[in-house]
Amino acid sequence: MRRAAVLGTGQTHHRTRRTDVSMAGLCREAIDRALADAGLGWEQIDAVVLGKAPDLFEGVMMPELFLASSIGAAGKPLLRVHTAGSVGGATAIVATSLVRAGVHRRVLAVAFEKQSESNAMWALSIQPPFSAPITAGAGGYFAPHIRSYIKRSGAPDHIGALVAVKDRRNGALNPYAHLRQPEITRESVQASTMLWDPVRYDETCPSSDGACAVVIGDQRAAESSVGQVAWIRATSMRTEPTFYAGKDHVNPRAGATAAAALWAAAGIKDPLDEVDVAELYVPFSWFEPMWLENVGFVGQGQGWKLVESGETALGGALPINPSGGVLCSNPIGASGLLRFAEAAMQVMGRAGEHQVAGASTALGHAYGGGSQFFSMWVVGRNPQ
């Protein structure tokens, strides 16, 4: 298999409403920054992969049709990817696969969401034919899984607040973050309104408009790059049904098997020791300890202990979401690609104030649907 690397990344300023730009303008903002970061022009891109969450999030069906020209795909191959909330990660993996297979030398991956133009809560509560009704949106759907985790692991009730404080303070170091709250405290989080027991207002993600873009190139493109690249050591995707007999919503099988395959492909034996920083898809603060266990950083029931120890903060043994993560910016279609891009930025040494010193190996992680779609990659400062 051919080597591939991230040549450049770009993202928008994420906000509740980006009324200053159209969907096309939002994508171009991220794309232009990614091309500038990679030191490339439009003519050097061979293909485009577009990621987008459910079309009802904006109320525009198949937006790739009218976006093709604006995102530089005219006259080039264009693919549309959709795997619910994990779509950003899946988009990067599809683009990587095109490069690794030798189909293209340089591929642009771009993902976006302009939630202000529709209503995600409504879009997540409709009942498609022949499916079980949810009617509660994402928070109402996932809150019972968090309660199950607390009961199973014995986690104290302040763990969610600790994660929220960490990520929001990290977000204050990120100029692109939607929520930047350097003064947030555990007490203020615990005093915020209860939305879906045990998830409080300050423990949940915002609704954001935003986009992210990544340029992925082959070995020759990487070696000719003027700046540090992020070598893609391994990628992994796994899927499972939304509901089935015996499904473990706290420790989804698809997530665990995707992570096991990822570590094996990257040659990583001890993820906690060998990975320097991780960007995990954490839309509700309690998902950090859950995913720490699911991807294999720690054993079952140990995730909350790693959080409580402070080792997932900047300066800890394994900083999680130094960018602020999904708790600070959540343009759903782009959120997974943001996790992948931020992981790459860390090993490229381009993360600015939220840079983890000496980071050479990083994890990007995304999940979507009813904890059923998982996408991950490991990137490194040096080729494997």
Short mmCIF file of all heavy atoms in Angstrom, two decimals, residues 154-194:
data_model
loop_
_atom_site.label_atom_id
_atom_site.label_comp_id
_atom_site.label_asym_id
_atom_site.label_seq_id
_atom_site.Cartn_x
_atom_site.Cartn_y
_atom_site.Cartn_z
N GLY A 154 -19.34 3.09 38.09
CA GLY A 154 -19.27 3.69 39.41
C GLY A 154 -18.69 5.09 39.39
O GLY A 154 -18.18 5.58 40.42
N ALA A 155 -18.75 5.75 38.25
CA ALA A 155 -18.16 7.10 38.12
C ALA A 155 -18.91 8.10 38.98
O ALA A 155 -20.14 8.10 39.01
CB ALA A 155 -18.20 7.53 36.67
N PRO A 156 -18.21 8.98 39.69
CA PRO A 156 -18.87 10.04 40.46
C PRO A 156 -19.50 11.07 39.52
O PRO A 156 -19.07 11.22 38.37
CB PRO A 156 -17.74 10.64 41.29
CG PRO A 156 -16.49 10.29 40.55
CD PRO A 156 -16.74 8.99 39.86
N ASP A 157 -20.48 11.81 40.02
CA ASP A 157 -21.27 12.66 39.14
C ASP A 157 -20.57 13.93 38.67
O ASP A 157 -21.13 14.66 37.85
CB ASP A 157 -22.61 13.01 39.79
CG ASP A 157 -22.45 13.79 41.11
OD1 ASP A 157 -21.32 14.19 41.42
OD2 ASP A 157 -23.47 13.98 41.79
N HIS A 158 -19.36 14.20 39.16
CA HIS A 158 -18.67 15.43 38.73
C HIS A 158 -17.77 15.22 37.52
O HIS A 158 -17.16 16.19 37.03
CB HIS A 158 -17.84 15.99 39.88
CG HIS A 158 -16.74 15.07 40.33
ND1 HIS A 158 -16.89 14.13 41.32
CD2 HIS A 158 -15.44 14.96 39.91
CE1 HIS A 158 -15.76 13.48 41.50
NE2 HIS A 158 -14.86 13.95 40.64
N ILE A 159 -17.66 14.01 37.02
CA ILE A 159 -16.73 13.73 35.92
C ILE A 159 -17.11 14.51 34.66
O ILE A 159 -16.25 15.07 33.97
CB ILE A 159 -16.67 12.22 35.62
CG1 ILE A 159 -16.12 11.46 36.84
CG2 ILE A 159 -15.82 11.95 34.38
CD1 ILE A 159 -14.72 11.88 37.27
N GLY A 160 -18.40 14.56 34.37
CA GLY A 160 -18.84 15.31 33.19
C GLY A 160 -18.44 16.77 33.28
O GLY A 160 -18.03 17.39 32.28
N ALA A 161 -18.54 17.35 34.47
CA ALA A 161 -18.17 18.76 34.66
C ALA A 161 -16.67 18.96 34.46
O ALA A 161 -16.24 19.97 33.89
CB ALA A 161 -18.59 19.23 36.05
N LEU A 162 -15.86 18.01 34.90
CA LEU A 162 -14.41 18.12 34.72
C LEU A 162 -14.04 18.17 33.24
O LEU A 162 -13.18 18.96 32.83
CB LEU A 162 -13.70 16.95 35.40
CG LEU A 162 -13.78 16.86 36.93
CD1 LEU A 162 -13.01 15.63 37.42
CD2 LEU A 162 -13.24 18.12 37.58
N VAL A 163 -14.67 17.31 32.45
CA VAL A 163 -14.41 17.28 31.02
C VAL A 163 -14.84 18.60 30.38
O VAL A 163 -14.12 19.18 29.55
CB VAL A 163 -15.12 16.10 30.34
CG1 VAL A 163 -14.95 16.17 28.82
CG2 VAL A 163 -14.60 14.77 30.87
N ALA A 164 -16.03 19.08 30.76
CA ALA A 164 -16.55 20.32 30.18
C ALA A 164 -15.62 21.49 30.47
O ALA A 164 -15.33 22.31 29.58
CB ALA A 164 -17.95 20.60 30.72
N VAL A 165 -15.14 21.60 31.69
CA VAL A 165 -14.22 22.68 32.05
C VAL A 165 -12.93 22.59 31.24
O VAL A 165 -12.45 23.58 30.68
CB VAL A 165 -13.92 22.66 33.56
CG1 VAL A 165 -12.77 23.61 33.90
CG2 VAL A 165 -15.16 23.02 34.36
N LYS A 166 -12.38 21.39 31.14
CA LYS A 166 -11.14 21.19 30.39
C LYS A 166 -11.31 21.60 28.93
O LYS A 166 -10.50 22.37 28.38
CB LYS A 166 -10.72 19.72 30.46
CG LYS A 166 -9.58 19.35 29.52
CD LYS A 166 -9.24 17.88 29.60
CE LYS A 166 -10.34 16.97 29.08
NZ LYS A 166 -10.51 17.06 27.60
N ASP A 167 -12.36 21.11 28.29
CA ASP A 167 -12.52 21.36 26.86
C ASP A 167 -12.86 22.81 26.57
O ASP A 167 -12.36 23.40 25.60
CB ASP A 167 -13.59 20.44 26.27
CG ASP A 167 -13.08 19.02 26.06
OD1 ASP A 167 -11.94 18.73 26.47
OD2 ASP A 167 -13.82 18.19 25.49
N ARG A 168 -13.70 23.42 27.39
CA ARG A 168 -14.04 24.82 27.14
C ARG A 168 -12.82 25.74 27.37
O ARG A 168 -12.64 26.72 26.66
CB ARG A 168 -15.22 25.24 28.01
CG ARG A 168 -16.52 24.49 27.68
CD ARG A 168 -17.16 25.03 26.41
NE ARG A 168 -18.25 24.21 25.94
CZ ARG A 168 -19.49 24.20 26.45
NH1 ARG A 168 -19.79 24.96 27.49
NH2 ARG A 168 -20.42 23.42 25.92
N ARG A 169 -12.00 25.42 28.35
CA ARG A 169 -10.77 26.21 28.55
C ARG A 169 -9.79 25.97 27.41
O ARG A 169 -9.11 26.90 26.97
CB ARG A 169 -10.14 25.86 29.89
CG ARG A 169 -10.93 26.40 31.08
CD ARG A 169 -10.26 26.07 32.41
NE ARG A 169 -11.01 26.64 33.54
CZ ARG A 169 -10.70 26.43 34.81
NH1 ARG A 169 -9.65 25.68 35.13
NH2 ARG A 169 -11.43 26.99 35.77
N ASN A 170 -9.73 24.73 26.91
CA ASN A 170 -8.90 24.47 25.73
C ASN A 170 -9.41 25.27 24.54
O ASN A 170 -8.62 25.83 23.76
CB ASN A 170 -8.92 22.98 25.38
CG ASN A 170 -8.13 22.13 26.36
OD1 ASN A 170 -7.41 22.65 27.22
ND2 ASN A 170 -8.25 20.82 26.24
N GLY A 171 -10.73 25.32 24.38
CA GLY A 171 -11.31 26.07 23.28
C GLY A 171 -10.96 27.54 23.30
O GLY A 171 -10.88 28.19 22.25
N ALA A 172 -10.72 28.08 24.49
CA ALA A 172 -10.33 29.48 24.61
C ALA A 172 -8.96 29.74 23.99
O ALA A 172 -8.61 30.89 23.72
CB ALA A 172 -10.33 29.90 26.09
N LEU A 173 -8.18 28.68 23.76
CA LEU A 173 -6.87 28.80 23.13
C LEU A 173 -6.94 28.66 21.61
O LEU A 173 -5.93 28.82 20.92
CB LEU A 173 -5.92 27.73 23.69
CG LEU A 173 -5.72 27.71 25.21
CD1 LEU A 173 -4.86 26.52 25.61
CD2 LEU A 173 -5.10 29.02 25.69
N ASN A 174 -8.13 28.31 21.11
CA ASN A 174 -8.33 28.02 19.68
C ASN A 174 -9.08 29.17 19.02
O ASN A 174 -10.27 29.38 19.30
CB ASN A 174 -9.11 26.72 19.55
CG ASN A 174 -9.35 26.31 18.10
OD1 ASN A 174 -9.01 27.03 17.16
ND2 ASN A 174 -9.97 25.16 17.92
N PRO A 175 -8.45 29.93 18.15
CA PRO A 175 -9.11 31.11 17.56
C PRO A 175 -10.31 30.77 16.68
O PRO A 175 -11.13 31.65 16.40
CB PRO A 175 -7.99 31.77 16.74
CG PRO A 175 -7.03 30.66 16.44
CD PRO A 175 -7.08 29.77 17.65
N TYR A 176 -10.43 29.52 16.25
CA TYR A 176 -11.55 29.13 15.39
C TYR A 176 -12.75 28.58 16.18
O TYR A 176 -13.83 28.38 15.62
CB TYR A 176 -11.10 28.07 14.38
CG TYR A 176 -10.07 28.57 13.41
CD1 TYR A 176 -8.73 28.17 13.52
CD2 TYR A 176 -10.41 29.45 12.40
CE1 TYR A 176 -7.77 28.64 12.63
CE2 TYR A 176 -9.46 29.93 11.50
CZ TYR A 176 -8.14 29.52 11.63
OH TYR A 176 -7.20 29.98 10.76
N ALA A 177 -12.59 28.32 17.46
CA ALA A 177 -13.63 27.67 18.25
C ALA A 177 -14.87 28.53 18.38
O ALA A 177 -14.80 29.76 18.48
CB ALA A 177 -13.10 27.31 19.64
N HIS A 178 -16.02 27.87 18.40
CA HIS A 178 -17.31 28.54 18.58
C HIS A 178 -17.44 29.03 20.02
O HIS A 178 -17.71 30.22 20.26
CB HIS A 178 -18.42 27.54 18.23
CG HIS A 178 -19.81 28.06 18.38
ND1 HIS A 178 -20.91 27.34 17.96
CD2 HIS A 178 -20.31 29.19 18.90
CE1 HIS A 178 -22.01 28.04 18.22
NE2 HIS A 178 -21.67 29.16 18.80
N LEU A 179 -17.26 28.15 20.99
CA LEU A 179 -17.37 28.52 22.41
C LEU A 179 -15.97 28.66 23.00
O LEU A 179 -15.18 27.72 22.96
CB LEU A 179 -18.17 27.47 23.18
CG LEU A 179 -19.61 27.25 22.73
CD1 LEU A 179 -20.29 26.20 23.58
CD2 LEU A 179 -20.41 28.56 22.77
N ARG A 180 -15.69 29.82 23.57
CA ARG A 180 -14.39 30.09 24.17
C ARG A 180 -14.65 30.65 25.56
O ARG A 180 -15.02 31.81 25.71
CB ARG A 180 -13.58 31.04 23.29
CG ARG A 180 -13.50 30.57 21.83
CD ARG A 180 -12.76 31.55 20.94
NE ARG A 180 -11.33 31.51 21.22
CZ ARG A 180 -10.53 32.57 21.16
NH1 ARG A 180 -11.04 33.76 20.88
NH2 ARG A 180 -9.25 32.45 21.41
N GLN A 181 -14.45 29.82 26.59
CA GLN A 181 -14.84 30.17 27.95
C GLN A 181 -13.69 29.95 28.92
O GLN A 181 -13.69 28.97 29.68
CB GLN A 181 -16.06 29.35 28.37
CG GLN A 181 -17.30 29.59 27.50
CD GLN A 181 -18.44 28.67 27.88
OE1 GLN A 181 -18.41 27.47 27.60
NE2 GLN A 181 -19.47 29.23 28.51
N PRO A 182 -12.72 30.83 28.95
CA PRO A 182 -11.56 30.62 29.83
C PRO A 182 -11.91 30.69 31.31
O PRO A 182 -11.15 30.16 32.13
CB PRO A 182 -10.61 31.76 29.43
CG PRO A 182 -11.51 32.82 28.87
CD PRO A 182 -12.59 32.08 28.17
N GLU A 183 -13.02 31.31 31.67
CA GLU A 183 -13.37 31.48 33.08
C GLU A 183 -14.33 30.41 33.61
O GLU A 183 -14.76 30.48 34.75
CB GLU A 183 -14.01 32.86 33.28
CG GLU A 183 -13.15 34.04 32.80
CD GLU A 183 -11.80 34.08 33.47
OE1 GLU A 183 -11.71 33.73 34.67
OE2 GLU A 183 -10.82 34.45 32.79
N ILE A 184 -14.67 29.43 32.78
CA ILE A 184 -15.62 28.41 33.21
C ILE A 184 -15.06 27.61 34.39
O ILE A 184 -13.84 27.40 34.50
CB ILE A 184 -15.97 27.46 32.04
CG1 ILE A 184 -17.19 26.60 32.37
CG2 ILE A 184 -14.77 26.61 31.64
CD1 ILE A 184 -17.71 25.81 31.17
N THR A 185 -15.93 27.19 35.31
CA THR A 185 -15.50 26.43 36.48
C THR A 185 -16.38 25.19 36.65
O THR A 185 -17.48 25.11 36.08
CB THR A 185 -15.60 27.26 37.76
OG1 THR A 185 -16.98 27.58 38.02
CG2 THR A 185 -14.78 28.55 37.64
N ARG A 186 -15.89 24.27 37.43
CA ARG A 186 -16.69 23.08 37.75
C ARG A 186 -18.00 23.47 38.41
O ARG A 186 -19.05 22.91 38.12
CB ARG A 186 -15.88 22.16 38.66
CG ARG A 186 -16.66 20.99 39.24
CD ARG A 186 -15.72 20.09 40.03
NE ARG A 186 -16.45 19.28 41.01
CZ ARG A 186 -15.88 18.43 41.86
NH1 ARG A 186 -14.55 18.29 41.84
NH2 ARG A 186 -16.60 17.74 42.72
N GLU A 187 -17.95 24.48 39.27
CA GLU A 187 -19.16 24.91 39.98
C GLU A 187 -20.18 25.52 39.02
O GLU A 187 -21.39 25.26 39.14
CB GLU A 187 -18.79 25.92 41.06
CG GLU A 187 -18.01 25.35 42.24
CD GLU A 187 -16.57 25.01 41.90
OE1 GLU A 187 -16.01 25.62 40.94
OE2 GLU A 187 -15.99 24.13 42.58
N SER A 188 -19.70 26.30 38.05
CA SER A 188 -20.64 26.91 37.11
C SER A 188 -21.27 25.86 36.20
O SER A 188 -22.44 25.97 35.84
CB SER A 188 -19.94 27.98 36.28
OG SER A 188 -18.96 27.43 35.41
N VAL A 189 -20.49 24.85 35.83
CA VAL A 189 -21.05 23.76 35.01
C VAL A 189 -22.13 23.02 35.79
O VAL A 189 -23.23 22.76 35.28
CB VAL A 189 -19.95 22.79 34.56
CG1 VAL A 189 -20.56 21.58 33.87
CG2 VAL A 189 -18.96 23.48 33.65
N GLN A 190 -21.84 22.69 37.04
CA GLN A 190 -22.79 21.93 37.85
C GLN A 190 -24.02 22.74 38.23
O GLN A 190 -25.06 22.17 38.59
CB GLN A 190 -22.09 21.39 39.10
CG GLN A 190 -21.06 20.32 38.77
CD GLN A 190 -20.33 19.81 40.01
OE1 GLN A 190 -19.84 20.58 40.82
NE2 GLN A 190 -20.26 18.49 40.14
N ALA A 191 -23.92 24.06 38.11
CA ALA A 191 -25.08 24.92 38.38
C ALA A 191 -25.91 25.19 37.13
O ALA A 191 -26.99 25.78 37.22
CB ALA A 191 -24.61 26.24 38.97
N SER A 192 -25.42 24.76 35.96
CA SER A 192 -26.15 25.01 34.72
C SER A 192 -27.37 24.08 34.63
O SER A 192 -27.47 23.07 35.32
CB SER A 192 -25.24 24.83 33.51
OG SER A 192 -24.79 23.50 33.39
N THR A 193 -28.30 24.44 33.78
CA THR A 193 -29.58 23.75 33.67
C THR A 193 -29.42 22.29 33.26
O THR A 193 -28.63 21.97 32.36
CB THR A 193 -30.47 24.46 32.64
OG1 THR A 193 -30.63 25.82 33.03
CG2 THR A 193 -31.84 23.79 32.52
N MET A 194 -30.17 21.41 33.91
CA MET A 194 -30.21 20.01 33.51
C MET A 194 -31.07 19.88 32.26
O MET A 194 -32.23 20.30 32.25
CB MET A 194 -30.78 19.14 34.63
CG MET A 194 -30.82 17.66 34.33
SD MET A 194 -29.17 16.91 34.31
CE MET A 194 -28.80 16.87 36.08
#
